[in-house]
Structures are given as C-alpha cells and as structure tokens.
C-alpha cells in the first residue's frame, strides 16, 4: 500500500469519530455535565487529549480489561499510561491494601513493610539505600535536589524530548538553532529553563561531552531508553559513554526507571548492567496507590549526610506528609512480592513479542513503510521506516492524523492504546487472546484505509 492516502485517512477519521459519538452516549452526557464544575469536563488536564470527541468514562476494570459507562468492554494496553502496569485491581495488592485500610493509613512513622520494600528494591536495582515519595515527579525532583546539594552545582542535563513528570527543570527542549527553550505548552515556568538545564539529543555522545565539560552539571536525569517520544533505544556504547563522561566530569547519573520498569523486574539498570548513582521509580509500584521510590549509592548517602542535619530534616524541600505512608508501603510490598514478579515478566515479555509479531505481519502484508519497536513488555509501532535515534527525529516523524485514526479505530473496536503514541504495555493479567484481538483490530483498521 505504501504511504497512506490522505483523503482516505480523512474519510476514515470522520467515520470513526461519528461511530465513537454514536456508541458512547453515556460518556458524552457525563462529559457535558462534568463541564459544570470540572475544567474542560475532566479531573486532570491531559484527559482532554484522547482520540475521541470526548473521553470515555470508566465504570470498572479488572485484570487486562475495563468497562465503560456505556457497558463497552476494552482490552487495555494503555494501563493508565503505566500506572496500572500491574493490571487492574491485582488480587494480591488489593488484599494487602484492604488489610492496611483497617490498620491505619498514615502515621508519619515507619511500618515494618518499609524494610522489606527497601531490601527488595536493593536486590532488584543494586543500590543500597532507598526513600519513598508520593509520585515519580517528586522522586525526580528529590533526586535533582540531592544531586545539586551534594555536588554544589546548579544545572541538570536532560535529553531532548524527555518526560520525567511535572519537574520544572525538565520542561526544556532544543530549538532548531540548538538553544535550550521552554517546551511548547509549558504553563508558567518559574524561570527560563535555559538557566537550570542543558539539553542534548539522546545517543549524541559528542554533544553530551560538550555539555558536561564546563563542570557545572549536578546530574544527568535520563530514562535508560526514552519512552515518552516513542521508544528510543540506546545505541551500542551509548550507556558506557554516558557513565564514563558523567564520572569524568563529576556529574551524578540518575536513571528514571518509571517506564523502563517494563524491561524487567530491575528495569534497564539490571537488564543492561547499568551503574547509576540514583534510580527513581514510580507509577505502577503501588498497583495504582500513589507512591514512588528513589534509591542511591552509599557514596551519595554519605555525601548527603555530611551536608545535612537531623534538626533540619523537615525543611530541606525533600519528602512530604503522605510520603512513605503505611498504605503506600503495604501496596509496594505486595506489588513487588506478588504482582510484578520475575514470573510475571517471564509471561509479559513474550506477549509483547507476540504483539509486535502480529503488527509486523500486517505491515508486511500491506507493504507499509512502518516499523515495530519493543522494550521488554512495552511495544509500539511507528509510521516511519527508519527508527528515530533521538527526540528531535522522533518529533519530526510524528503523524498526528494517522495516530489519531489508529487510536480511534482501535478504541471503537474495543482496544485501548497508550495516548500520544501507538504504544502497548503488557500486564501480568494480559493474555494471548488480548494480544491477538489487537492484531485483528490493527489489520481491520489498516484495511479500512484501502477501501
Ligand atoms: C519516565 C517518567 N518519569 C516520571 C513520570 C512522572 O510520573 P507521575 O506523573 O506519576 O509523577 C512519568 C510520567 O509519565 C514518566 O513517564
């Protein structure tokens, strides 16, 4: 079929939008009513960005599926954009959370679960010391603060097109002329991000070296493989160079494993034998209870302690009243020991391979100039023949109309993909039948562009 016919695509999109409106009357009515007291009719601003004319409202979810208020069931490959990578309402975590509900939720005192959580995280990621935050955003903010504090340096470095949560310093991007500028849409940046942040393209070792050379960068904050501009894998030697250059220039390396936890039980850090100074992880580790963790080396711990005092522990800008709560720790313990287990990954990763093979079969049959990319249990397809090497190339390869059509066609046929990309995540509850359902829906959506 070659490149997609734009007229057929426009007609297909109009058809799918009409079908979406016709088949979701209750969601539509709820969205209209919600406008009375919710900004744009949603409780969180990103929820306006789904492919339909309005968001679908959820009734309930279980395992790999959920049902909307119109009674339609979906196979969920979005999984709360990784927040529900455990599958919905995983039994072991739900039981632990329910048990904790009867025993008190938050004390600003530790519970015994904290010890087991930290020991298991140490085993998985190879870092000895851990702390708990409420969100991955917070974990990243705290990692940056610690890095600044112990190095005495003002700046951080991120890769172009990154996403690490709503962390002010990371809302920076490269302009075409190479300047660091605020990301489009950045709401009320406290300072010009070029003051706080250097940005280079992923996989560009020479640019990284130039950016670290002035010796003023406290840390590089990086996903080991980028996942928020689509999946961008490191080229051979990139991680070795990143580690070597950061060490050489006295810069700490922070691995944000929040999404790359899809690579295995210890994220890319363990899967690829990386040696970050700090690791952050959030989203699914509490099976949906808001909680994140950050770990660090003994050296970072010593340097932090040497510059802090117990009397000032509550005024350092790190922590939070509900961080490390009894509820959060009960949820993390159950998630790590009974849900996102080694055995679960041994099922999830082959399912992602099966998902990719199903998509590739259609791409081959239809002779589409598209490709599939995968990182452990996460898989996606790209509307381009050449895999992007960095955020800039990824942004240039986006096809907004095609992306919207594919999402909406899938949604109308009972399959939810991650918004903003054509990305799917496997949970421990995902089945081969779920994956094959996507393959059939993908084929139907592509074929509809031909007739
Ligand atoms: C890699 C990464 N880190 C951190 C975050 C922030 O997570 P949260 O919004 O739960 O704070 C995200 C969110 O998408 C993410 O993708």
């Amino acid at each position: 079929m070659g490149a997609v016919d734009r007229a057929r695509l426009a007609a297909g999109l109009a058809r799918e939008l009409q079908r979406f409106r016709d088949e979701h009357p209750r969601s539509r009515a709820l969205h209209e009513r919600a406008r009375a007291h919710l900004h744009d009719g949603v409780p969180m601003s990103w929820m306006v960005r789904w492919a339909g004319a309005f968001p679908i409202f959820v009734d309930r979810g279980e395992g790999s599926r959920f049902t909307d208020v119109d009674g339609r069931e979906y196979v969920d490959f979005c999984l709360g954009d990784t927040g529900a990578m455990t599958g919905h309402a995983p039994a072991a975590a739900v039981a632990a959370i329910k048990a904790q509900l009867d025993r008190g939720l938050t004390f600003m005192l530790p519970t015994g679960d904290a010890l087991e959580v930290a020991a298991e995280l140490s085993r998985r990621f190879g870092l000895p010391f851990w702390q708990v935050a409420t969100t991955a955003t917070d974990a990243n903010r705290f990692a940056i603060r610690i890095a600044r504090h112990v190095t005495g340096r003002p700046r951080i470095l991120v890769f172009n097109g990154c996403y690490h949560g709503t962390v002010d310093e990371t809302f920076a991007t490269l302009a075409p002329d190479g300047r660091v500028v605020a990301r489009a849409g950045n709401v009320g940046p406290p300072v010009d991000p070029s003051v706080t942040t250097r940005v280079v393209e992923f996989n560009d070792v020479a640019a990284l070296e130039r950016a670290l050379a002035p010796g003023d960068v406290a840390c590089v904050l990086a996903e080991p493989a980028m996942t928020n501009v689509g999946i961008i894998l490191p080229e051979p030697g990139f991680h070795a160079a990143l580690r070597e250059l950061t060490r050489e220039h006295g810069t700490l390396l922070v691995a944000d494993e929040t999404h790359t936890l899809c690579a295995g039980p210890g994220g890319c850090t363990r899967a690829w034998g990386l040696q970050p100074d700090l690791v952050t992880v959030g989203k699914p580790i509490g099976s949906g209870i808001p909680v994140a963790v950050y770990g660090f080396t003994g050296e970072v711990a010593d340097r932090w302690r040497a510059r802090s005092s117990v009397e000032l522990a509550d005024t350092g800008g790190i922590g939070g009243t509900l961080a490390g709560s009894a509820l959060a720790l009960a949820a993390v313990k159950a998630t790590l020991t009974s849900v996102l287990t080694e055995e679960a990954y041994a099922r999830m990763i082959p399912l992602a391979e099966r998902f990719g093979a199903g998509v590739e079969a259609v791409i081959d049959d239809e002779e589409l100039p598209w490709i599939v990319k995968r990182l452990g249990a996460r898989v996606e397809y790209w509307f381009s023949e050449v895999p992007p090497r960095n955020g800039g190339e990824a942004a240039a390869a986006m096809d907004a109309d095609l992306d919207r059509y594919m999402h909406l066609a899938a949604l109308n046929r009972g399959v939810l993909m991650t918004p903003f990309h054509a990305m799917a995540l496997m949970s421990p509850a995902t089945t081969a039948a779920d994956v094959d359902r996507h393959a059939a829906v993908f084929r139907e959506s592509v074929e509809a562009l031909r007739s």
Side-chain angles (χ1 to χ4, degrees):
M1 171 160 101
V4 168
D5 180 308
R6 304 315 285 192
R8 281 205 185 112
L9 176 59
L13 192 50
R15 212 169 42 237
E16 295 298 334
L17 270 168
Q18 190 54 51
R19 177 171 170 180
F20 178 84
R21 284 195 190 91
D22 293 345
E23 292 182 347
H24 298 89
R26 291 210 166 119
S27 280
R28 181 174 13 184
L30 277 181
H31 187 237
E32 281 309 314
R33 278 172 49 203
R35 287 178 183 282
H37 296 295
L38 289 166
H39 186 59
D40 290 336
V42 288
M44 197 274 281
S45 53
W46 308 353
M47 292 180 189
V48 297
R49 277 215 56 204
W50 288 95
F54 43 83
I56 49 173
F57 280 63
V58 175
D59 179 31
R60 64 189 179 279
E62 192 183 348
S64 61
R65 296 176 179 229
F66 73 93
T67 307
D68 71 11
V69 290
D70 286 289
R72 308 186 79 84
E73 192 193 58
Y74 302 84
V75 177
D76 191 356
F77 290 111
C78 166
L79 295 168
D81 190 17
T82 309
M85 180 181 164
T86 52
H88 299 292
V94 168
I97 291 163
K98 280 186 177 162
Q100 193 61 47
L101 292 180
D102 289 330
R103 293 159 57 91
L105 306 188
T106 190
F107 304 94
M108 217 161 83
L109 286 169
T111 52
D113 287 344
L115 280 70
E116 285 162 82
V117 163
E120 175 61 9
L121 290 167
S122 299
R123 190 186 70 76
R124 289 188 181 211
F125 292 94
L127 289 171
F129 296 112
W130 291 84
Q131 290 282 276
V132 183
T134 312
T135 63
T137 297
D138 270 357
N140 284 327
R141 288 199 303 112
F142 302 158
I144 290 171
R145 275 181 174 269
I146 293 166
R148 284 207 179 104
H149 190 63
V150 306
T151 61
R153 296 177 173 190
R155 289 175 192 265
I156 72 157
L157 184 145
V158 294
F159 292 107
N160 195 31
C162 70
Y163 187 75
H164 296 286
T166 54
V167 179
D168 289 321
E169 293 91 333
T170 62
F171 272 72
T173 193
L174 280 180
D177 63 3
R179 274 179 314 121
V180 173
V181 293
R183 272 189 95 140
N186 192 344
V187 177
V191 292
D192 180 338
S194 67
V195 173
T196 57
T197 309
R198 295 226 165 85
V199 182
V200 299
E201 292 287 11
F202 200 67
N203 283 320
D204 188 343
V205 175
L208 178 66
E209 183 157 24
R210 280 195 302 276
L212 295 180
D216 57 355
V217 177
C219 68
V220 171
L221 172 60
E223 288 190 283
M226 298 185 81
T227 66
N228 282 300
V229 273
I231 297 170
I232 298 185
L233 297 170
E235 292 181 342
F238 178 67
H239 272 295
L242 173 60
R243 186 61 281 199
E244 203 179 302
L245 286 171
T246 44
R247 284 207 174 112
E248 187 185 321
H249 293 285
T251 297
L252 295 175
L253 180 57
V254 185
D256 179 350
E257 294 271 22
T258 298
H259 275 188
T260 48
L261 195 58
C262 62
C268 292
T269 296
R270 181 161 122 200
W272 298 342
L274 307 179
Q275 296 184 336
D277 299 293
L278 297 100
V279 161
T280 60
V281 196
K283 292 201 184 183
I285 58 156
S287 292
I289 294 289
V291 54
V293 293
Y294 53 107
F296 36 90
T297 60
E299 190 197 328
V300 169
D302 289 344
R303 290 170 72 186
W304 185 11
R305 202 171 285 114
R307 289 170 160 247
S308 317
S309 76
V310 172
E311 291 72 34
L312 299 178
D314 58 331
T315 56
I318 287 182
T321 316
L322 297 179
S325 73
L327 178 67
L329 285 160
V332 178
K333 183 175 130 185
T335 305
L336 294 180
T337 56
S338 307
V339 186
L340 292 178
T341 58
E342 310 269 344
E343 303 76 52
Y345 279 92
R347 289 194 308 278
M348 288 148 67
I349 293 174
L351 282 175
E353 288 164 359
R354 184 184 181 110
F355 186 107
V359 171
E360 265 162 359
V362 178
I363 290 176
D364 288 350
D365 290 350
E366 301 288 333
E367 296 177 0
L368 288 165
W370 300 356
I371 49 166
V372 170
K373 294 176 97 182
R374 188 179 64 80
L375 177 69
R378 188 184 298 279
V379 55
E380 66 174 5
Y381 50 88
W382 267 91
F383 309 122
S384 105
E385 242 167 340
V386 186
R389 294 174 58 238
N390 58 46
E393 289 180 13
M398 299 278 177
D399 186 330
D401 289 344
L402 193 49
D403 190 64
R404 185 170 191 203
Y405 167 80
M406 293 301 288
H407 271 88
L408 196 51
L411 187 70
N412 284 338
R413 290 159 185 77
V415 171
L416 187 75
M417 299 285 286
T418 303
F420 326 133
H421 321 279
M423 191 181 276
L425 184 62
M426 308 299 129
S427 77
T430 306
T431 63
D434 294 334
V435 167
D436 294 347
R437 166 108 167 256
H438 173 267
V441 161
F442 181 76
R443 185 176 291 281
E444 200 186 317
S445 310
V446 166
E447 283 177 355
L449 289 179
R450 313 185 69 174
S451 48

